[in-house]
Amino acid sequence: MSTRDRLLAVLVAVLWGLNFLAVRVGLDHFPPFFLAALRFLVLAVPVVLFVPRPQVPLRWLLGYGLGFGAMQFGLLFLAIDNGMPSGQASVVVQAAAPLTVLLGAVLLHERLSWQQLAGMAAAVLGLTVIAVDRARTAALLPLFLTLLAALGWALGNLASRQARPEHPLRFALWMSVVPPLPLLALSAVMEGPATGWRAFGGAFDAEGWPGLVALLYIALAGSVVGSGIWTALLKRYEAGTVAPYSMLVPVVGIAAAWPALDEEPSALSLAGAAIVVIGVLAGMGLALPKRPHGKGPGPEGEPGPESGAARPDLPAGPVVAQPDEPTPKVQDTQRS
């Protein structure tokens, strides 16, 4: 990855790490499934009206919306609402990273290097240390719900990878059209058909503004900025190259929850966070030279030109189809 793309991946980790604080604030004002639906509904209406639909197969758009959107956020909000500390949630949901790499290797036949495997193993070890330490005071159900949310994130990552959208931000924005209906349906069944709407009406009084601010942060920072950058990176690089950066999210989440929510981590949790960072750095391959264009995949798992990653002979910036790399055409029957 280029230096710029590494910094963008870190920026996404910071935005998503602070999301957990915003979620905790939002859940003080809205029920979980309804808050998750609002998170996407805020964007879905203007997107349908003003943003052209991305030219990708409908199945990948639905897969991304249902996995990354409805499944991840619905279950994650439900877990936090049922007692999962936000710092702990930011750790456990990072199981999405090894799940993405594993599913990418099994389902998409993506190649893994020993360096990536070692880095992932170290990061998973760090996550395990943190999870075990915090699980002693957390109920089993919230932990299980958070792991299912991580699976949704991983499935969404693979759908995004397969879609290879020509306009990643447009694709990320249109993903927000998918989750509101299933999440509103779940809210109506499990939380009551009028509960969420009453909470939404009360959010405009003098005591409800923190919930609205949290909702706007979750929607705009997570979707427009975070998901747009993440989707662009997944288009340029293999899932196994991008996914490890998401392991920085729990470091941000724990560090932010400490002063803001009084979730003081133990020494063991801090040690686990340090192991996570070491694992991420080990998996990046910062010092590895790139193989010249035309020589196939780069060393130690660096994606080559045929992988759809950014080519070393092209300047940094959005990846566009080159004359020798035409964009694959999709049959009209695959579009809607």
Side-chain angles (χ1 to χ4, degrees), residues 249-322:
V249 173
V251 179
V252 177
I254 291 175
W258 191 342
L261 302 177
D262 198 27
E263 294 181 4
E264 183 176 354
S266 67
L268 189 59
S269 290
L270 292 177
I275 297 174
V276 170
V277 174
I278 293 172
V280 171
L281 294 175
M284 289 180 185
L286 296 177
L288 291 175
K290 292 184 178 180
R291 189 172 296 187
H293 174 53
K295 301 299 183 181
E300 297 298 322
E302 285 188 321
E306 72 276 18
S307 70
R311 285 167 33 177
D313 59 329
L314 295 178
V319 177
V320 295
Q322 301 300 309

Side-chain angles (χ1 to χ4, degrees), residues 164-255:
R164 293 183 181 272
E166 189 173 344
H167 302 283
L169 182 56
R170 187 184 300 175
F171 178 71
L173 290 173
W174 263 87
M175 179 274 294
S176 65
V177 177
V178 179
L181 287 180
L183 287 172
L184 285 174
L186 283 172
S187 177
V189 172
M190 301 186 67
E191 299 164 351
T195 303
W197 295 109
R198 284 197 299 267
F200 182 70
F204 292 92
D205 59 28
E207 297 180 354
W209 66 267
L212 289 179
V213 173
L215 171 62
L216 291 176
Y217 180 88
I218 295 167
L220 298 180
S223 292
V224 177
V225 181
S227 295
I229 296 173
W230 193 256
T231 303
L233 293 175
L234 283 171
K235 179 187 176 184
R236 302 180 112 195
Y237 304 98
E238 290 185 353
T241 302
V242 180
Y245 285 84
S246 68
M247 291 187 181
L248 293 174
V249 173
V251 179
V252 177
I254 291 175

Side-chain angles (χ1 to χ4, degrees), residues 19-54:
N19 248 350
F20 291 89
L21 272 69
V23 170
R24 180 61 271 168
V25 173
L27 288 172
D28 291 335
H29 299 268
F30 304 103
F33 286 126
F34 190 81
L35 177 60
L38 285 182
R39 178 231 189 271
F40 294 102
L41 196 59
V42 166
L43 295 175
V45 174
V47 164
V48 170
L49 293 177
F50 302 111
V51 180
R53 183 186 180 279

Side-chain angles (χ1 to χ4, degrees), residues 139-168:
L140 180 61
L141 179 60
L143 283 170
F144 180 68
L145 291 173
T146 309
L147 286 172
L148 288 180
L151 177 61
W153 185 355
L155 293 173
N157 280 343
L158 295 189
S160 174
R161 174 69 179 164
Q162 288 296 91
R164 293 183 181 272
E166 189 173 344
H167 302 283

